[in-house]
Amino acid sequence: GYRVSLQGNFFGRNDTYMTFPEYNPRKHIKLDPPMDIQSNATASKCQIWWSVGNAPWYLADILQYELQYKEYSMSWEVALNKTLLSSLPQVEIEAAELRSGIAYTARVRCKVSENEISYHSQWSEWSQTTVFQRADVPKVSGKILNTKTMQYVFIPLSFGTLLYLFWSCKFSSRRQKASPALTFPRQLLSFSRSIVCTMGILR
């Protein structure tokens, strides 16, 4: 601890004023703001991270952070605040909290955790800002959906029809004088061509 006093010449006489009779620096800390804040936004979430390399190593694991973010065009007075429980220099924002197509900006500050008894600090100044925007979820074309649906229905139906033709030709060949080797391959060839043409249209 320290004793802090103020000395000066006031109205022609020297006086000493005791400002802090017992001052402990570890109870009056103000850290530098976090550095190198960066962000990466996807369609599901936005990740924000930063560095506290300017903080003493013995405080790094007992820091807490406050994140502030807002729409880029709005004032900081209407920004949303998140006090982070983890001492890790990172945070995630769910996409549901962000509006699609809107640019956002965020900043962060730090101090010693409220649960720490050996040290005490006030909030640092705010860091520099990072700008991010939620990525839009790609929309599947209705035409593609219809094509895939037709494929899922058409392929099993084609095999069923092919099986039906096979058994029909097998039984009818017994009643006809024509050779089965000539009857069934022609029907099969004709049906195969129709399948190939239909699949080409679907693609």
Side-chain angles (χ1 to χ4, degrees), residues 158-171:
S158 300
F159 282 108
T161 306
L162 188 61
L163 187 61
Y164 170 77
L165 288 176
F166 174 77
W167 287 108
S168 297
C169 293
K170 183 176 180 180
F171 286 112

Side-chain angles (χ1 to χ4, degrees), residues 149-161 195 199 202:
T149 302
M150 291 181 65
Q151 288 178 347
Y152 293 145
V153 174
F154 180 77
I155 292 175
L157 184 61
S158 300
F159 282 108
T161 306
I195 292 177
M199 292 298 292
L202 290 176

